[in-house]
Amino acid sequence: MRIAEASWGDVEAYLEGDDRCILPLGCTEQHAHLSLATDSLLAERVAAEAAEPLGVPVFPALTYGITPYFMAFPGTVTLSLATYAAVVREILDSLYATGFRRVLIVNGHGGNTPVQPVTAEWMAAHPGARCRFHDWWRAPKVWEAVQAIDPVASHASWMENFPFTRLPGHPEPEEQKPYVPFDRLKDRDAAGVRALIGDGNYGGHYRKPDADMARLWEVAVAETRALLEGDWE
């Protein structure tokens, strides 16, 4: 059940028999030749496909995240950690107030991961609440599948290049891009990061065959669904 396609009455009826939901977390940031909304598109889609056979509500993705290092790329939008933590906490508060008790956060952006302790604090303050934080793209089975396809994979490379994150009229280079110097990214401002990474791909081929991506996606959906179906006690 996508919340965007449901009424409040639909949700009320659902809550009479279940209290699970999914909150996808995304970001609006550069992804080389892919959509600026790549992280949000992937998080919400993997959540929706995982939840579909279970009928679990999927809320619209939170489309802004923590990405100060990419602010030299136009179109990128960042939030401070304090602001982001407050937003996530208040969303969780709202879900609890309306009857949800088991929340699966499907995160699509590595920069958002520092907010994970907020979920632990939130559970401590809300009796009976459970919240799982799932970085879908680096979960064990997904990462194993990525490594089997090509171990050279990173931000804005082939591993995020799906038919629904591509942009018409934006062909990708055919060669494999060498890894950027990750150790030098740690002490650079946004302009320095852009100077080091060029088009935004951190390293790897820009695209893989759609058959490979379909297999990877199948693993991602199944691994996410398993978290919904698993023991919440």
Side-chain angles (χ1 to χ4, degrees), residues 35 43 50 53 58 69 71 93 114-116 119 128 137 141-142 144-146 148 151 166 194 196 200 209 214 218 223:
S35 168
V58 177
Y69 36 82
M71 285 305 297
D93 286 346
V115 81
Q116 188 169 358
T119 65
W137 79 99
K141 292 181 180 179
V142 167
E144 182 181 2
V146 168
R166 296 173 196 153
R194 178 169 173 171
L196 281 175
E218 183 178 347
E223 192 165 22

Side-chain angles (χ1 to χ4, degrees), residues 23-224:
L23 172 63
L25 302 182
C27 193
T28 301
E29 66 172 14
Q30 73 81 14
H31 274 79
H33 305 277
L34 303 175
S35 168
L36 283 154
T38 288
D39 290 342
S40 302
L41 293 170
L42 292 172
E44 186 166 338
R45 187 171 184 128
V46 74
E49 293 189 21
E52 183 176 12
L54 307 176
V56 172
V58 177
F59 282 81
L62 181 55
T63 56
Y64 300 106
I66 305 169
T67 180
Y69 36 82
F70 287 155
M71 285 305 297
F73 293 88
T76 297
V77 177
T78 192
L79 299 176
S80 69
L81 176 56
T83 297
Y84 193 72
V87 169
V88 171
R89 186 189 300 273
E90 292 188 19
I91 291 173
L92 291 173
D93 286 346
S94 295
L95 297 178
Y96 188 89
T98 55
F100 292 100
R101 293 294 180 270
R102 292 176 290 172
V103 182
L104 174 61
I105 291 179
V106 176
N107 180 39
H109 172 56
N112 295 339
T113 303
V115 81
Q116 188 169 358
V118 169
T119 65
E121 294 176 352
W122 179 78
M123 285 187 287
H126 293 78
R130 295 289 183 272
C131 185
R132 292 176 172 171
F133 196 97
H134 177 51
D135 289 328
W136 77 266
W137 79 99
R138 59 184 174 193
K141 292 181 180 179
V142 167
W143 192 246
E144 182 181 2
V146 168
Q147 296 298 295
I149 296 170
D150 185 347
V152 182
S154 62
H155 173 80
S157 74
W158 66 267
M159 67 175 290
E160 295 188 286
N161 189 333
F162 292 86
F164 41 87
T165 60
R166 296 173 196 153
L167 298 172
H170 291 72
E172 310 97 348
E174 295 183 1
E175 69 274 7
Q176 183 185 66
K177 183 178 180 179
Y179 273 135
V180 300
F182 292 108
D183 57 327
R184 295 176 61 196
L185 292 175
K186 297 177 181 178
D187 62 355
R188 298 294 191 275
D189 62 9
V193 168
R194 178 169 173 171
L196 281 175
I197 68 177
D199 66 359
N201 178 349
Y202 271 21
H205 286 287
Y206 288 81
R207 184 189 291 208
K208 291 291 181 181
D210 284 348
D212 288 341
M213 301 310 293
R215 286 193 295 272
L216 176 60
W217 191 250
E218 183 178 347
V219 172
V221 170
E223 192 165 22
T224 303

